[in-house]
Amino acid sequence: MNDKWMLYMRGSVTFGLGLAIITLLARWVTGNTILSSPQTLIQYGIAGSIGYAIAGGLAFFFLGLVAKRVRRSFPEAITIGDVLKEKLLPSYYHTFILMLLFMGAYALMVQFYAAGTLFYYAIPQLPLIGFGGFLLLVIYFGGYGGLKKLTSLSFYSVVMIFLTTILLPIYSYLQNGISPIYDGVKLYHPYLFFMGSHETVWFVSAAILVFTGQILTDSATWMRIFVTKPEKIGLAFQSTGLIWATVPMALLALLLFAISGKSFDHVYLLIQTMLQALDASFLMIIFVFFCLIAMLTASSSELHGWTSLLIKNVWLEKSLTDKQITQYRHLSVWLLAFILFVIVAIVFPSSFSLLFFFGNLYASLIPAVMYILITEHRTGPAPTIIVAIGSVIGIVSHLSLHSFFSIWASFLSACLLFIAFYLFNLQKYKKPMK
């Protein structure tokens, strides 16, 4: 492989514990984290917000267990596609790569949607100009900068994360006092303290599945796994999960401060209310800059992982020349960015349902990816077919059940199908692989 593409995909260093945590945090403190916090608070109360934070932390703990084994089993891998190539038959391997590319493009669209929403409320006069500039930065860092530039950007992102999650809540509560804020929230929004909702439990349990599916199928996350020292991976994911969980909690504290003694008519107005509550201009600048650099780093990481998957597992396997790969990279990066720009420009500000739109697919992918990673043999069309069946079952059940129930229906049906498939072929898999 050409050193140029190796440097772009994995940089020039191996990550230790610190670098792994920094880059994982920068990848996963995203627009989803920021924008879903107001929606979670209003719909599911304080219990839902706390559960949302715990759900993300548990997803990181789970993947840490899986990643440690995969890293040791595939020491030369660069992308998740390299693992799939060893575990799937060729034609079905390419089908799975296409699925991962599609999910990567969808994840990038959600990040762009979050950035577009922020620009819509931060600079309502010229939101598309601000979003266009943001898009150019994402293309520069993710499409062309490579992992080395992304690692440098991650340092600044994590600094802003800690500055925001520590400074802003402490300043707000010291300035106004905890009791007045609590009394103001209880007076205007007593429903936020309700703890007995079954829907909240289902929301948190579904969030665990969606988070796990997102992380487990994320190309950028797997690339960080393969450049991290094997003995550090488990602790890196556990530490990342613990630290990540504090971010939604800090946003919850800011939101409670923002709505104390106030009412609002729509969840979007809650974003404006939170910005207005930071009455000191430097605090508002810190918060907006935190949102922007977090979204920039997450989006750039996603685009880098998406492009690397194309380079390593599509173009290089077709024995294309460096010039051809460079041309294809230019075309694919700019075309994807343009398509997503048009989509976001049309739909925002819109519903937050995008965040769970492919929840059934993510839930069905969990047992599929786990089956592929854990089993010793190479397999054929079963994972792809079972993912499709599980997703369809979830979508159909959504017609009569709540969306969170349907996510569990997809997950459980896919699990049962994989167990049945494995037991049916148990004797065959006992034979040594040729």
Side-chain angles (χ1 to χ4, degrees), residues 318-350:
K318 293 184 177 181
S319 302
L320 299 179
T321 64
D322 286 345
K323 184 177 179 180
Q324 288 175 315
I325 294 177
T326 301
Q327 291 173 344
Y328 282 134
R329 180 177 66 163
H330 293 327
L331 178 63
S332 60
V333 167
W334 285 96
L335 183 61
L336 177 67
F338 175 75
I339 292 172
L340 296 183
F341 176 83
V342 172
I343 293 174
V344 172
I346 292 172
V347 302
F348 86 83
S350 182

Side-chain angles (χ1 to χ4, degrees), residues 172-184:
S172 302
Y173 281 78
L174 285 178
Q175 185 184 43
N176 296 273
I178 296 176
S179 294
I181 292 174
Y182 170 79
D183 293 337

Side-chain angles (χ1 to χ4, degrees), residues 24-337:
L24 285 170
L25 273 178
R27 166 64 189 94
W28 285 106
V29 177
T30 66
N32 298 25
T33 311
I34 298 167
L35 280 188
S36 57
S37 294
Q39 179 80 353
T40 302
L41 176 63
I42 298 310
Q43 287 193 238
Y44 306 105
I46 294 174
S49 295
I50 295 173
Y52 177 82
I54 295 173
L58 289 176
F60 279 106
F61 269 81
F62 171 74
L63 187 58
L65 300 175
V66 179
K68 191 173 182 180
R69 170 174 174 166
V70 176
R71 179 70 174 89
R72 288 177 174 169
S73 300
F74 300 90
E76 302 301 321
I78 298 175
T79 68
I80 182 61
D82 295 338
V83 178
L84 296 176
K85 187 176 181 179
E86 296 294 324
K87 305 302 288 285
L88 293 173
L89 298 176
S91 57
Y92 309 110
Y93 152 70
H94 291 114
T95 303
F96 223 90
I97 291 295
L98 286 175
M99 189 185 302
L100 292 179
L101 289 171
F102 172 77
M103 298 307 294
Y106 163 73
L108 191 59
M109 184 184 70
V110 175
Q111 299 305 318
F112 286 173
Y113 169 79
T117 303
L118 178 65
F119 282 112
Y120 184 87
Y121 289 104
I123 47 174
Q125 299 82 6
L126 300 169
L128 289 180
I129 293 178
F131 179 61
F134 172 85
L135 202 62
L136 292 175
L137 287 174
V138 171
I139 292 173
Y140 170 73
F141 283 106
Y144 297 101
L147 189 60
K148 184 177 180 180
K149 278 191 170 61
L150 280 175
T151 303
S152 300
L153 182 64
S154 298
F155 277 105
Y156 298 105
S157 179
V158 171
V159 168
M160 288 305 305
I161 290 170
F162 283 115
L163 183 64
T164 304
T165 55
I166 294 174
L167 175 62
L168 296 192
I170 289 177
Y171 178 88
S172 302
Y173 281 78
L174 285 178
Q175 185 184 43
N176 296 273
I178 296 176
S179 294
I181 292 174
Y182 170 79
D183 293 337
V185 174
K186 193 171 183 179
L187 177 64
Y188 279 79
H189 311 282
Y191 55 90
L192 297 181
F193 294 93
F194 181 65
M195 297 289 181
S197 173
H198 294 294
E199 190 173 359
T200 299
V201 176
W202 280 107
F203 163 73
V204 173
S205 64
I208 294 174
L209 292 181
V210 174
F211 270 128
T212 303
Q214 287 177 335
I215 298 174
L216 197 60
T217 58
D218 181 64
S219 300
T221 301
W222 282 102
M223 293 188 71
R224 280 142 187 78
I225 290 172
F226 293 129
V227 297
T228 302
K229 295 177 181 178
E231 65 273 13
K232 303 294 185 182
I233 287 178
L235 184 57
F237 272 90
Q238 293 166 9
S239 302
T240 301
L242 287 172
I243 298 171
W244 185 93
T246 64
V247 177
M249 298 292 286
L251 292 172
L252 169 63
L254 278 176
L255 288 167
L256 292 176
F257 163 68
I259 64 177
S260 175
K262 305 181 186 71
S263 61
F264 54 89
D265 300 321
H266 195 276
V267 68
Y268 290 104
L269 297 179
L270 180 54
I271 300 173
Q272 290 181 317
T273 302
M274 184 166 63
L275 291 174
Q276 294 167 359
L278 300 172
D279 50 358
S281 58
F282 80 95
L283 292 180
M284 185 180 296
I285 291 172
I286 288 176
F287 182 77
V288 171
F289 188 66
F290 152 70
C291 294
L292 286 176
I293 195 169
M295 293 175 184
L296 173 62
T297 310
S299 301
S300 300
S301 299
E302 184 62 54
L303 181 59
H304 172 257
W306 187 85
T307 308
S308 298
L309 194 63
L310 269 176
I311 292 172
K312 182 67 170 64
N313 301 108
V314 180
W315 297 330
L316 284 174
E317 291 186 2
K318 293 184 177 181
S319 302
L320 299 179
T321 64
D322 286 345
K323 184 177 179 180
Q324 288 175 315
I325 294 177
T326 301
Q327 291 173 344
Y328 282 134
R329 180 177 66 163
H330 293 327
L331 178 63
S332 60
V333 167
W334 285 96
L335 183 61
L336 177 67

Side-chain angles (χ1 to χ4, degrees), residues 356-407:
F356 279 85
F357 188 74
F358 282 107
N360 298 105
L361 181 55
Y362 280 125
S364 300
L365 278 167
I366 295 172
V369 175
M370 290 301 301
Y371 181 85
I372 293 170
L373 295 179
I374 292 176
T375 54
E376 298 286 335
H377 57 273
R378 298 182 76 179
T379 188
T384 307
I385 294 174
I386 292 177
V387 166
I389 294 174
S391 300
V392 170
I393 289 174
I395 293 170
V396 172
S397 66
H398 183 50
L399 299 175
S400 57
L401 300 173
H402 195 282
S403 59
F404 299 139
F405 300 160
S406 71
I407 290 174

